[in-house]
């Protein structure tokens, strides 16, 4: 399989801040790759390094085997969908979409035909004459997508592409993006702080924190087998069990993660925990528990009775739901 | 409690605001009345009668035309210089954070933050030290210096409103710096520059304080008026010239307003 | 690029991750700018920095340097020896009078301008909407940018003994009030056009728009909900003004006062045309450099507003007034 993007010991420092710190990364051709992390974790800087808006302080970046450290953004066959879409306000939609082709010297008829095709691809046919200001957020996002795709980039970069949309639109776009990516076969790299988005769309996810990659893997890997406390906590707020407690259960002194939905309330033979609070989430109820010194959360189905605050309950889980985190602090 | 007060202003405030505006406008309106008075020796109010005679008299005055010509030339050239310098400065300051950018901003603002007489006398003494004879260029040197800030302020405000990602988007789509400038930056800041240019023109056209120091024996229109103010010889002609000056400056100001009205209402604070 | 090479480029681009350079001067220059962003920055900054640095700052320093020379009282020639003697002359009673007179006038004008500007700015920012807002804005912009001399001239017409103001007072049978005012020492005089009151009015008029705009801009940034919140918490309109509106508008007032204060300090035309014959700093500078030929003393006089404005700007910056500009 061809490697689309590869990072070898790439760092980007801003003064004393290590925005990206010694990152190794390899993205395969045709992959839908997510960079997930809190703000300031370095994920966006990584994206900008691929686009060429930032240059690495040290390390080596290749796009399809070509070294790109000294290649400016306008010579990289990589296009970006910006977080604020960055549509040119002084141009109508068709000229926005055709901008890249115009710069490359394509004649007006050809580039407008190509742009119209791209607009159809993103389900906005006939919007060419409008101005960006006349479109809704979701429509603008599609235009931004069309503007990038019309250039047939080798890699498409998406910077928090759905961040500004409301929930319903976001879910719809998640599906559409995925279908589009399968159809075009272009490598998609997208940055998000929303773990649900990363898990539902990506083939592989890289979890960033403090400029470093904490874990790379399939959504299932990341969600079910977090390798560090950070990943366990950030991706779907797993419970992290203390080494002392884990040692009693497994004999190994190590942190372990336990998903809230893996915890069941049983009538007997479980661990005693005290209920400290609960919140109704619709399909489930989340209850907070004090298990020894630890605070943990459990999700119980809505059809089950919710125990009162202050009562002591017995909780249990399957042994293989407990995931040891090797080497995690 | 104040639900009705939210929409309607208290009458006291309305009155004060209205009086304030009237205070700012009535004196200028008065100029228009005096331009047609038949009285030519004093500033008598109410005017004893009205006539169009003074318009014709003014039209046939070569000294007024000379002064007008010099003023227009000076304002045009100064504005062009200020537009180039102000835009460069604004682009540098708003695009990058660099050491000393505060200093640059201060340097641009200084020529209007300090009283004009200081700029004037400093330039004059510099000319005399460097043995530069007075000419239209000595006037322009001074005017361009304090006009930079007007263009700069307008351009900086527009740059601030223009999302930085537009430039990146353009480069991302294959445009190099020059293509990005031509296709994205210029169309986006164009109207702000034009507005800045118009205001700079208005500012230069009626500047008098610095000009008295840098003009030597030449007369711009404001200098001509100043001489009439200090030693009135031709009151009716001065009245007409004053009216014409108001009309000439109002147009670029209104144009500048319409060019920048959607959002950056900073055009005026630059003066 | 021709049409054929464009289509070639298209096929190339779909195969390679990197497009060929565009070549030419602009292409390679552009690559240089990307690799070294400082180069572009320096290129952009050099022309304005040179212009302002050499022409403006150069002249300013040359002027300041002259204030450390002195003039020979007998020959009237400038003596090029460093001395503080000229600065000492500033403290002669006559010169000190000029400074105090100017600074007091600047302070009073600034205060009055703030008082008159506030209601206009407040109304425009909080109550005027749509067309009215535009009208208010233009209503302030036009006088701001109208010719300075025309404005001064208009006041010469207004304040003249035979002018409109006297006429209004006569019609209202208030001539006695005007006469009583003119009879007051210092601020009065033979007529309004030769009194400090006249000078003050013209200063106030000419600089007022410079105060209105920043005040309005500052008030514009006070969300209406703040005022409602204050009222909701039990404050009377007066208390809301004192504790919420005024503190938030203060940076705007300070920003405006930079202009009114500085412009009054340096003006030499208004007091020359409307006012008593007593000098202001600007007139003193003008007289010293012109008829008296005493450049060192003129230079020393200009240092006074520079120093005052230096402190003023420093204080204003600390209050965040520059953000309100």
């Amino acid at each position: 399989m061809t490697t689309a993007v590869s990072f070898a010991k790439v760092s980007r420092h801003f003064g004393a801040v290590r925005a990206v710190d010694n990152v190794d990364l390899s993205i395969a051709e045709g992959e839908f790759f997510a960079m997930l992390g809190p703000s300031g974790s370095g994920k966006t800087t990584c994206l900008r390094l691929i686009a060429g808006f930032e240059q690495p302080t040290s390390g080596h970046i290749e796009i399809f085997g070509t070294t790109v450290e000294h290649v400016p953004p306008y010579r990289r066959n990589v296009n970006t969908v910006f977080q604020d879409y960055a549509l040119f306000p002084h141009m109508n939609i068709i000229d926005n979409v055709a901008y890249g082709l115009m710069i490359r010297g394509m004649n007006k008829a050809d580039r407008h035909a190509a742009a119209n095709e791209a607009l159809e691809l993103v389900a906005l046919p006939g919007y060419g004459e409008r101005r960006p200001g006349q479109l809704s957020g979701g429509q603008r996002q599609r235009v931004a997508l069309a503007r990038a795709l019309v250039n047939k980039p080798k890699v498409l970069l998406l910077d928090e592409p759905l961040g500004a949309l409301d929930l319903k639109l976001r879910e719809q776009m998640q599906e559409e993006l995925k279908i589009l990516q399968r159809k075009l076969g272009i490598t998609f790299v997208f940055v998000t702080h929303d773990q649900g988005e990363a898990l539902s769309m990506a083939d592989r996810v890289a979890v960033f924190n403090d400029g470093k990659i904490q874990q790379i893997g399939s959504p299932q890997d990341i969600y079910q087998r977090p390798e560090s406390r950070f990943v366990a906590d950030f991706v779907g707020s797993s419970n992290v069990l203390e080494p002392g407690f884990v040692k009693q259960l497994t004999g190994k002194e190590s942190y372990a993660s336990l998903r809230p939905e893996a915890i069941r309330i049983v009538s007997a033979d479980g661990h005693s925990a005290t209920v400290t609070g609960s919140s109704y989430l619709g399909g489930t109820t989340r209850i907070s528990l004090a298990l020894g010194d630890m605070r943990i959360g459990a999700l119980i189905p809505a059809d089950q009775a919710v125990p009162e605050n202050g009562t002591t309950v017995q909780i249990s889980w399957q042994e293989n739901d407990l995931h040891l985190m090797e080497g995690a602090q | 409690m104040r639900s009705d007060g939210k929409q309607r202003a208290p009458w006291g405030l309305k009155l004060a605001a209205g009086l304030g505006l009237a205070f700012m406008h009535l004196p200028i309106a008065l100029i228009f009345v005096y331009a047609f008075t038949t009285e030519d020796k004093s500033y008598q109010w109410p005017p004893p009668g009205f006539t169009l005679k003074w318009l014709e008299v003014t039209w046939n005055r070569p000294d007024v035309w000379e002064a007008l010509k010099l003023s227009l030339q000076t304002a045009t050239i100064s504005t062009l210089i200020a537009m180039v310098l102000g835009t460069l400065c604004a682009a540098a300051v708003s695009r990058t954070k660099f050491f000393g950018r505060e200093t640059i901003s201060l340097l641009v603002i200084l020529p209007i933050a300090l009283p004009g007489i200081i700029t004037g006398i400093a330039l004059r003494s510099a000319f005399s030290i460097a043995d530069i004879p007075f000419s239209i260029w000595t006037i322009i040197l001074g005017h361009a210096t304090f006009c930079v800030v007007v263009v700069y302020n307008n351009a900086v405000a527009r740059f601030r409103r223009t999302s930085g990602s537009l430039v990146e988007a353009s480069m991302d789509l294959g445009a190099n710096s020059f293509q990005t400038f031509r296709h994205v930056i210029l169309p986006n800041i164009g109207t702000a520059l034009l507005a800045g240019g118009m205001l700079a023109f208005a500012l230069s056209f009626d500047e008098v304080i610095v000009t008295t120091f840098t003009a030597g024996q030449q007369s711009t229109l404001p200098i001509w008026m100043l001489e009439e103010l200090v030693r009135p010889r031709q009151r009716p002609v001065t009245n007409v010239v004053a009216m014409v000056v108001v009309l000439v400056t109002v147009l670029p100001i209104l144009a500048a307003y319409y060019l920048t009205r959607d959002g950056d209402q900073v055009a005026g604070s630059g003066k | 690029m021709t049409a054929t090479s464009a289509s070639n480029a298209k096929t190339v681009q779909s195969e390679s991750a990197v497009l060929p350079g565009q070549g030419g001067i602009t292409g390679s220059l552009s690559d240089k700018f990307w690799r070294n962003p400082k180069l572009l920055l320096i290129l952009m900054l050099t022309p304005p920095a040179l212009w302002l640095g050499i022409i403006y700052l150069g002249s300013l320093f040359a002027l300041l340097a002259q204030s450390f020379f002195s003039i020979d009282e007998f020959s009237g020639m400038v003596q090029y020896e460093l001395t503080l003697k000229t600065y000492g002359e500033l403290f002669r009673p006559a010169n000190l009078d000029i400074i105090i007179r100017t600074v007091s006038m600047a302070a009073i004008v600034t205060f009055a301008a703030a008082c008159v500007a506030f209601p206009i700015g407040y109304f425009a920012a909080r109550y005027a909407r749509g067309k009215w807002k535009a009208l208010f804005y233009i209503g302030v912009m036009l006088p701001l940018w109208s010719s300075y001399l025309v404005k001064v001239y208009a006041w010469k017409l207004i304040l003249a003994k035979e002018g409109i103001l006297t006429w209004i007072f006569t019609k209202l049978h208030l001539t006695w009030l005007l006469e009583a005012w003119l009879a007051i020492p210092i601020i009065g005089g033979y007529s309004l056009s030769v009194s400090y009151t006249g000078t003050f009015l013209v200063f106030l008029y000419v600089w007022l728009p410079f105060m209105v705009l920043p005040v309005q801009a500052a008030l514009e940034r006070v969300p209406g909900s703040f005022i409602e919140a204050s009222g909701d918490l039990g404050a009377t309109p007066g208390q809301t003004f004192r504790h919420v509106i005024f503190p938030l508008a203060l940076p705007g007032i300070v920003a405006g006062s930079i202009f009114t204060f500085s412009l009054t300090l340096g003006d030499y035309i208004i007091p020359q045309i409307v006012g008593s014959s007593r000098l202001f700093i600007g007139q003193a500078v003008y007289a010293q450099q012109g008829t008296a030929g005493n450049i060192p003393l003129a230079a020393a006089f200009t240092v006074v507003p520079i120093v005052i404005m230096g402190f003023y700007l420093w204080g204003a910056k600390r209050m965040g007034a520059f953000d309100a500009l």
Side-chain angles (χ1 to χ4, degrees):
Chain A
M1 200 181 246
T2 320
T3 304
V5 179
S6 87
F7 275 40
K9 298 200 184 317
V10 171
S11 294
R12 177 69 175 107
H13 300 172
F14 296 104
V17 180
R18 294 164 176 235
V20 172
D21 194 4
N22 217 15
V23 163
D24 286 299
L25 179 67
S26 165
I27 300 170
E29 182 175 16
E31 198 171 21
F32 201 133
F33 191 86
M35 296 184 179
L36 173 67
S39 60
S41 61
K43 57 188 194 309
T44 301
T45 308
C46 271
L47 198 80
R48 293 170 60 79
L49 284 165
I50 303 174
F53 303 135
E54 302 285 349
Q55 289 167 269
T57 311
S58 64
H60 184 63
I61 301 175
E62 282 182 10
I63 300 176
F64 283 89
T66 312
T67 303
V68 293
E69 278 109 71
H70 297 293
V71 180
Y74 47 86
R75 285 181 48 211
R76 298 185 187 199
N77 199 357
V78 163
N79 288 117
T80 308
V81 175
F82 288 83
Q83 186 172 10
D84 61 357
Y85 315 137
L87 300 183
F88 304 124
H90 59 289
M91 294 180 188
N92 63 17
I93 299 304
I94 196 90
D95 285 333
N96 259 286
V97 176
Y99 185 82
L101 303 174
M102 185 264 289
I103 294 292
R104 273 166 213 183
M106 191 186 276
N107 70 50
K108 195 168 177 175
D110 286 354
R111 65 178 192 249
H112 277 197
N116 275 320
E117 223 170 277
L119 282 173
E120 261 170 56
L121 189 71
V122 297
L124 282 179
Y127 278 69
E129 294 304 313
R130 304 201 191 180
R131 295 253 159 191
Q134 296 170 301
L135 301 189
S136 71
Q139 290 170 331
R140 267 182 254 178
Q141 214 242 327
R142 287 160 190 266
V143 174
L145 197 59
R147 186 177 68 175
L149 288 174
V150 77
N151 304 297
K152 303 199 166 39
K154 300 288 278 182
V155 180
L156 182 74
L157 307 174
L158 303 110
D159 185 7
E160 302 267 5
L162 310 176
L165 307 180
D166 60 42
L167 183 66
K168 205 160 179 182
L169 204 55
R170 200 155 64 211
E171 284 169 353
Q172 185 193 339
M173 280 307 290
Q174 284 177 11
E175 281 171 27
E176 284 185 31
L177 272 180
K178 212 165 150 178
I179 293 167
L180 200 63
Q181 195 262 342
R182 294 276 179 275
K183 191 160 117 190
L184 299 170
I186 295 176
T187 311
F188 275 35
V189 180
F190 90 106
V191 154
T192 181
H193 65 270
D194 182 321
Q195 48 103 1
E197 206 167 284
L199 297 181
S200 69
M201 289 162 78
D203 298 324
R204 278 199 307 151
V205 179
V207 184
F208 279 76
N209 190 34
D210 281 341
K212 293 191 183 72
I213 293 183
Q214 300 288 318
Q215 188 173 352
I216 300 188
S218 70
Q220 291 77 10
D221 278 345
I222 301 281
Y223 190 73
Q224 283 160 10
R225 287 176 290 281
E227 283 167 7
S228 66
R229 294 180 66 188
F230 175 79
V231 176
D233 194 49
F234 188 74
V235 181
S237 49
S238 268
N239 296 304
V240 176
L241 304 181
E242 299 284 335
F245 182 76
V246 176
K247 193 177 180 185
Q248 291 169 22
L249 296 177
T250 64
K252 281 188 193 148
E253 186 160 356
S254 158
Y255 283 98
S257 71
L258 180 64
R259 314 249 28 125
E261 63 271 24
I263 298 174
R264 285 170 295 120
I265 296 180
V266 292
S267 47
D269 291 335
H271 303 273
S272 296
T274 311
V275 178
T276 58
S278 66
S279 48
Y280 177 65
L281 301 177
T284 54
T285 302
R286 184 187 170 90
I287 56 174
S288 305
L289 299 160
L291 176 65
D293 295 338
M294 294 176 290
R295 305 252 164 246
I296 63 171
L299 289 176
I300 58 172
D303 54 359
Q304 250 179 41
V306 178
E308 297 267 316
N309 274 6
T311 54
T312 301
V313 293
Q314 298 289 307
I315 56 171
S316 172
W317 53 81
Q318 303 276 318
E319 204 169 309
N320 60 6
D321 283 331
L322 195 69
H323 181 70
L324 296 185
M325 296 187 285
E326 308 288 346
Q329 288 108 54
Chain B
M1 232 174 70
R2 282 177 50 105
S3 55
D4 56 336
K6 214 161 64 180
Q7 300 304 327
R8 287 169 168 279
W11 67 268
L13 179 66
K14 261 188 192 161
L15 189 71
L19 283 179
L21 271 192
F23 174 65
M24 287 200 278
H25 286 270
L26 288 181
I28 298 178
L30 205 62
I31 295 281
F32 284 77
V33 180
Y34 270 96
F36 301 98
T37 180
T38 46
E39 167 66 49
D40 65 347
K41 290 281 176 290
S42 74
Y43 302 122
Q44 189 192 334
W45 183 272
F50 293 99
T51 171
L52 293 174
K53 180 176 116 192
W54 304 118
L55 295 184
E56 194 199 331
V57 172
T58 311
W59 184 267
N60 292 322
R61 284 282 294 261
D63 55 336
V64 174
W65 283 108
E66 288 273 309
L68 179 66
K69 193 175 137 217
L70 183 63
S71 279
L72 289 176
Q73 282 174 336
T74 313
T76 309
I77 302 173
S78 308
T79 300
L80 291 178
I81 296 173
M83 280 174 81
V84 173
L85 297 180
T87 311
L88 285 174
C89 243
V93 165
S94 56
R95 277 282 165 254
T96 21
K97 285 197 189 329
F98 59 91
F99 179 73
R101 70 182 263 197
E102 293 268 306
T103 319
I104 293 287
S105 299
L106 186 68
L107 189 58
V108 172
I109 292 169
L110 210 56
I112 51 149
L114 287 181
I117 191 168
I118 295 178
T119 310
I121 187 175
L123 286 172
R124 187 190 190 113
S125 69
F127 293 152
S128 89
I129 292 169
D131 242 345
I132 300 172
F134 293 115
S135 69
I136 180 172
W137 295 104
T138 52
I139 307 178
I140 289 169
L141 226 48
H143 283 206
T145 303
F146 59 71
C147 283
V148 171
V149 69
V150 187
V151 180
Y152 171 84
N153 273 3
N154 271 277
V156 154
R158 185 62 65 87
F159 272 126
R160 213 177 279 154
R161 284 204 304 144
T162 309
S163 142
S165 60
L166 289 185
V167 171
E168 289 187 346
S170 169
M171 293 209 150
D172 187 72
L173 294 165
N176 67 28
S177 319
F178 296 93
Q179 290 167 321
T180 299
F181 180 76
R182 190 178 131 212
H183 295 297
V184 174
I185 300 178
L186 205 54
N188 269 297
I189 63 163
T191 50
L193 283 190
L194 205 55
M198 300 222 168
L199 295 177
F201 186 90
L203 184 58
S204 166
F205 185 77
D206 91 358
E207 211 289 333
V208 65
I209 293 190
V210 176
T211 319
T212 47
F213 292 95
T214 56
Q217 294 304 310
Q218 319 155 81
S219 274
T220 60
L221 205 55
I223 301 253
W224 183 93
M225 269 201 75
L226 180 62
E227 276 161 16
E228 287 296 320
L229 275 176
V230 179
R231 275 175 296 275
R233 281 168 301 189
Q234 288 273 352
R235 287 174 204 227
V237 175
T238 313
N239 292 336
V240 173
V241 169
M243 181 180 73
V244 171
V245 168
V246 171
L247 290 176
V248 168
T249 41
V250 159
L251 293 178
I253 298 157
L254 284 179
Y257 168 73
Y258 280 104
L259 286 170
T260 54
R261 70 189 143 159
D262 21 285
D264 40 15
Q265 299 195 332
V266 294
S269 53
K271 187 166 177 179
Chain C
M1 236 188 222
T2 63
T4 38
S5 72
S7 61
N8 281 345
K10 231 178 100 193
T11 40
V12 168
Q13 104 196 34
S14 55
E15 281 159 19
S16 157
V18 170
L19 308 174
Q22 282 149 317
I25 291 176
T26 53
S28 59
L29 250 184
S30 187
D31 288 7
K32 274 208 184 76
F33 290 152
W34 177 77
R35 271 178 215 131
N36 190 357
K38 276 199 186 121
L39 184 67
L40 180 62
L41 189 66
I42 290 168
L43 277 181
M44 288 199 290
L45 276 179
T46 309
L50 280 184
W51 183 287
L52 290 169
I54 292 180
I55 296 176
Y56 186 65
L57 285 187
S59 312
L60 211 54
F61 282 121
L63 177 69
L64 291 186
Q66 299 204 44
S67 67
F68 293 100
F69 300 143
S70 63
I71 195 153
D72 188 282
E73 280 170 37
F74 299 104
S75 64
M77 298 292 283
V78 176
Q79 293 181 314
Y80 295 99
E81 281 167 37
L82 291 184
T83 168
L84 287 174
K85 187 178 139 214
T86 312
Y87 280 99
E89 280 185 45
L90 284 183
F91 295 97
R92 281 188 194 167
N95 291 339
L96 211 54
D97 263 1
I98 294 175
I99 294 170
I100 292 169
R101 182 179 305 131
T102 312
V103 173
S104 321
M105 179 60 89
I108 295 168
V109 167
T110 299
F111 177 77
C115 293
V116 179
F118 199 91
I120 304 176
Y122 189 65
F123 186 88
R126 196 156 146 61
Y127 295 103
R129 289 284 167 270
K131 223 162 67 181
W132 278 102
K133 184 146 205 145
L135 206 68
F136 255 87
Y137 187 67
I138 295 178
V140 179
M141 283 289 282
L142 280 184
L144 172 71
W145 288 94
S146 307
S147 169
Y148 161 86
L149 275 180
V150 169
K151 287 185 272 190
V152 179
Y153 183 63
W155 278 90
K156 194 163 171 147
L157 302 176
I158 294 170
L159 297 175
K161 192 105 190 161
E162 69 276 17
I164 188 169
L165 210 57
T166 315
W167 179 77
I168 291 174
F169 274 102
T170 316
K171 288 282 170 193
L172 295 174
H173 303 289
L174 288 173
T175 316
W176 57 271
L177 186 66
L178 185 61
E179 272 163 13
W181 183 270
L182 287 175
I184 301 174
I186 302 179
I187 58 170
Y190 167 70
S191 84
L192 277 177
S193 60
V194 293
S195 69
Y196 281 136
T197 310
T199 319
F200 162 80
L201 279 174
V202 183
F203 270 134
L204 173 64
Y205 175 75
V206 173
W207 309 142
L208 182 60
F210 291 89
M211 182 63 95
V212 178
L213 282 177
V215 168
Q216 184 189 338
L219 286 168
E220 209 78 70
R221 272 176 250 173
V222 180
S225 59
F226 280 23
I227 293 154
E228 278 155 29
S230 171
D232 189 58
L233 295 167
T236 64
Q239 286 169 321
T240 302
F241 177 81
R242 200 151 12 102
H243 298 294
V244 180
I245 301 171
F246 185 71
L248 289 169
L250 200 58
I253 296 176
V254 174
S257 73
I258 294 172
F259 291 108
T260 55
F261 204 84
S262 163
L263 291 167
T264 313
L265 279 188
D267 196 277
Y268 72 94
I269 288 178
I270 291 173
Q272 182 187 354
I273 292 171
V274 176
S276 68
S277 52
R278 279 159 292 201
L279 296 181
F280 281 71
I281 290 180
Q283 290 168 286
V285 173
Y286 191 72
Q288 291 300 341
Q289 70 86 36
T291 45
N294 189 345
I295 298 275
L297 185 56
F301 256 119
T302 63
V303 172
V304 177
I306 292 179
V307 169
I308 294 174
M309 285 319 293
F311 278 110
Y312 208 105
L313 288 174
W314 176 72
K317 201 178 161 85
R318 292 196 48 171
M319 289 186 60
F322 285 139
D323 298 332
L325 277 179

